[in-house]
Amino acid sequence: MLQAIWAIASVWLCICTIHSLLSSCQSTSQTYHDFLNRHGLSISLGHLKVYWSGCHAWVHRLGTLPGIRLWFDMGSVVSCTLSLLSLPLLTYMLVRALYEPEEEQILKPIIPGVNIPWGQMVYVALTIFICAVLHELGHAVAAVREQVRVDGYGVFVLLMYPGAYVDVHDEHMAAISARRRLRIYSAGVWHNFVIAFLGGFLFLATPHLMSPLFTIGQGVEVLKVAEHSAFYGQLPHGAQITGINSCPVQSLSNVRECLNRIYARSLGYCIPLEYVVKQQRIQQHDQPLATGPLTRDCCGSSLSHICFSYESAQGHQGHACLQARNVTTGSACRFARHCSASFPEGSGLPACIKPNLEVTSRLLRIRHTAGKDVMFEGNPYLLLYEVHLSNYVPRWPWVSKFNTLPLFLEACGLYLLSISSALCCLNIIPVYYLDGHWVLVTLVDLVLPAYVPNHRPRIRIAHGFLIAGTLLLIANTSIALIKAVL
């Protein structure tokens, strides 16, 4: 978190220092300010803005398209519905944030380096920018449709988050009816709602769109392995993982389920007791089970052998140094009695062996299609963190050149869904100076005159909702930030 704050502060300090030097230097001051004015640029600490006056002809053409009024009427209905639901939803989110852990929270701030990798921030910022531009385009087109002059529009960067805005003529807005104002105020939220729907559709439709080129549900493909990882050189690019220990793998969700199961319950393997006795290197099979470092280190520095503890249903106990690859093919067990039912008749006495590992370590046997099974000792979740896996397995070798395309489409859909829906919900909340503020005030003027004829009481009602919405948003955001940082 501190690194993120330091990086952002350093960038803005450099920008403001250069801006100050160019503005104060006599030889560059006039030329620099002419450049800023000509391009509509303004710079301050943590804020950079570009403004263009007027309105492009293509925006006017969009505003005169057939059916555009029906489009924005639909947006008014959706926005008003969301506005009425926003306060109960915020109240529910606040109660849940107070009593649920961070993982269960609905509202989560985007904090680079804390809950989202720095490498993903380019995609996040680009998605925010696209959603913000289309949001403001909705306001501009709706204003043209309602014959309200658009004085200009602009884009900005606040700290590290981009945005956009539209400047409409205030006198024109005041002169039109409440229903026409509602179409303009709700247009941005409506566009974000549609973008979120399209993003969700793209995310869900990607498997079907990619099915002619990729198979799904027959394993996961290895796309990349981190160079510092123990899996590097063991899991080759293009290999298909089909199983982990005794757990079959058909998709990424299977991988997570398998790893959760393996981590939650440290299981052993059923093998013949006679084999253990023959392979024993340190202690006799009838010696009581040792504990402590001796048990874990009974193999010394061997790379292929692991120290196992074992027990049989007849009471034999001990520990032995065994080759992991040879003894991890048997059925899973927790106790020796579990081996009796699954052990082949006539194959001798069964024993349940368990690897003696650190608390967070597990022994994985990863089955794949490109060679011998990979044996791994360590934290099982490193398989997810250090190996880039995909649900999509190419049908033909030449398709592997495009193996990142399905992941790109899914990521685009997911980012559009999550970010645009967040902007939709944030803007429709009745909070001062957001779209929800003007939607609520206009809705009150449209609906309540028949019941509350005087304008002043209607304004008090609107401000009551605005105060409640603002306080609820501040409370939710503060709790989310505190939990994310701590």
Side-chain angles (χ1 to χ4, degrees):
M1 180 64 180
L2 292 177
Q3 291 179 344
I5 294 174
W6 173 248
I8 296 169
S10 300
V11 170
W12 279 108
L13 182 62
C14 292
I15 292 173
C16 291
T17 300
I18 295 172
H19 173 68
S20 179
L21 290 174
L22 293 174
S23 299
S24 58
C25 182
Q26 287 187 345
S27 60
T28 60
S29 176
Q30 187 62 43
T31 304
Y32 180 62
H33 281 97
D34 289 342
F35 174 82
L36 294 178
N37 293 331
R38 187 165 59 252
H39 293 87
L41 278 164
S42 62
I43 301 173
S44 59
L45 184 61
H47 186 259
L48 187 148
K49 181 178 72 173
V50 184
Y51 179 80
W52 297 276
S53 59
C55 182
H56 282 297
W58 60 270
V59 177
H60 281 279
R61 287 195 293 271
L62 289 175
T64 56
L65 288 175
I68 197 70
R69 177 177 176 176
L70 176 61
W71 173 258
F72 288 120
D73 280 338
M74 293 168 59
S76 299
V77 174
V78 170
S79 298
C80 291
T81 303
L82 294 175
S83 179
L84 295 174
L85 295 175
S86 61
L87 289 182
L89 178 62
L90 274 179
T91 304
Y92 168 75
M93 289 167 58
L94 180 61
V95 173
R96 184 167 178 171
L98 290 171
Y99 297 103
E100 297 287 345
E102 182 188 355
E103 293 77 11
E104 302 295 329
Q105 285 183 237
I106 299 174
L107 179 66
K108 293 183 180 180
I110 298 175
I111 306 176
V114 176
N115 59 5
I116 189 167
W118 277 101
Q120 298 293 316
M121 277 307 299
V122 174
Y123 305 107
V124 172
L126 181 61
T127 306
I128 292 175
F129 179 73
I130 292 172
C131 293
V133 168
L134 294 177
H135 174 105
E136 297 302 330
L137 179 63
H139 290 307
V141 174
V144 170
R145 168 63 186 79
E146 301 303 332
Q147 300 179 343
V148 173
R149 190 176 78 197
V150 177
D151 292 330
Y153 52 93
V155 295
F156 63 87
V157 176
L158 181 62
L159 293 180
M160 63 177 300
Y161 298 104
Y165 65 97
V166 169
D167 183 18
V168 296
H169 199 69
D170 293 336
E171 293 181 4
H172 288 189
M173 287 291 291
I176 62 177
S177 66
R179 187 177 297 276
R180 294 170 67 186
R181 288 201 306 272
L182 185 61
R183 293 193 191 104
I184 298 173
Y185 289 140
S186 61
V189 169
W190 168 236
H191 276 201
N192 283 138
F193 181 86
V194 173
I195 294 168
F197 175 82
L198 294 176
F201 177 80
L202 176 61
F203 177 76
L204 295 174
T206 297
H208 303 284
L209 295 173
M210 294 290 103
S211 59
L213 300 176
F214 299 87
T215 60
I216 303 168
Q218 297 182 11
V220 296
E221 185 186 19
V222 177
L223 297 183
K224 186 179 179 181
V225 181
E227 292 187 5
H228 66 275
S229 171
F231 298 105
Y232 189 75
Q234 303 296 317
L235 282 174
H237 172 79
Q240 299 169 31
I241 296 178
T242 58
I244 303 174
N245 291 3
S246 59
C247 184
V249 168
Q250 297 176 331
S251 65
L252 273 174
S253 60
N254 291 150
V255 174
R256 297 187 187 95
E257 291 169 3
C258 291
L259 296 181
N260 288 338
R261 196 181 310 159
I262 291 169
Y263 190 80
R265 299 176 64 186
S266 180
L267 299 177
Y269 308 90
C270 295
I271 66 170
L273 178 62
E274 182 182 359
Y275 177 84
V276 178
V277 174
K278 287 182 178 180
Q279 298 296 323
Q280 214 172 12
R281 293 184 177 179
I282 297 180
Q283 295 181 339
Q284 296 296 327
H285 69 278
D286 57 351
Q287 187 171 344
L289 179 64
T291 58
L294 177 62
T295 305
R296 289 196 294 268
D297 299 340
C298 69
C299 287
S301 58
S302 175
L303 297 178
S304 60
H305 290 65
I306 292 178
C307 192
F308 288 84
S309 61
Y310 68 88
E311 65 169 356
S312 70
Q314 288 71 30
H316 301 95
Q317 289 184 333
H319 59 274
C321 185
L322 305 173
Q323 190 173 26
R325 186 177 297 277
N326 293 340
V327 298
T328 54
T329 57
S331 58
C333 62
R334 290 193 72 187
F335 305 102
R337 64 177 180 270
H338 296 154
C339 296
S340 300
S342 60
F343 210 68
E345 188 175 348
S347 56
L349 296 177
C352 181
I353 63 168
K354 292 183 180 180
N356 296 328
L357 305 172
E358 300 292 341
V359 175
T360 58
S361 295
R362 297 292 183 270
L363 181 60
L364 301 184
R365 186 186 189 100
I366 304 171
R367 301 190 299 278
H368 62 94
T369 59
K372 291 196 293 186
D373 295 354
V374 173
M375 306 302 302
F376 172 76
E377 175 194 342
N379 191 314
Y381 293 109
L382 291 177
L383 179 62
L384 290 176
Y385 299 142
E386 298 179 352
V387 182
H388 191 191
L389 302 172
S390 171
N391 276 324
Y392 299 88
V393 178
R395 291 184 182 272
W396 302 280
W398 62 269
V399 179
S400 60
K401 297 178 181 179
F402 310 99
N403 56 11
T404 59
L405 177 60
L407 301 182
F408 174 76
L409 293 177
E410 282 190 342
C412 288
L414 193 58
Y415 276 131
L416 288 172
L417 170 64
S418 56
I419 292 177
S420 192
S421 59
L423 290 175
C424 174
C425 295
L426 178 65
N427 275 286
I428 201 57
I429 299 171
V431 173
Y432 284 105
Y433 305 113
L434 295 181
D435 287 349
H437 175 176
W438 311 114
V439 168
L440 177 68
V441 171
T442 307
L443 188 61
V444 166
D445 283 341
L446 188 64
V447 175
L448 291 188
Y451 309 98
V452 185
N454 293 331
H455 181 68
R456 192 180 298 273
R458 295 202 304 269
I459 291 297
R460 291 198 189 100
I461 292 172
H463 279 291
F465 282 105
L466 287 169
I467 292 171
T470 303
L471 293 177
L472 283 170
L473 181 62
I474 291 173
N476 274 281
T477 306
S478 300
I479 293 173
L481 283 171
I482 291 170
K483 287 191 173 184
V485 173
L486 299 180

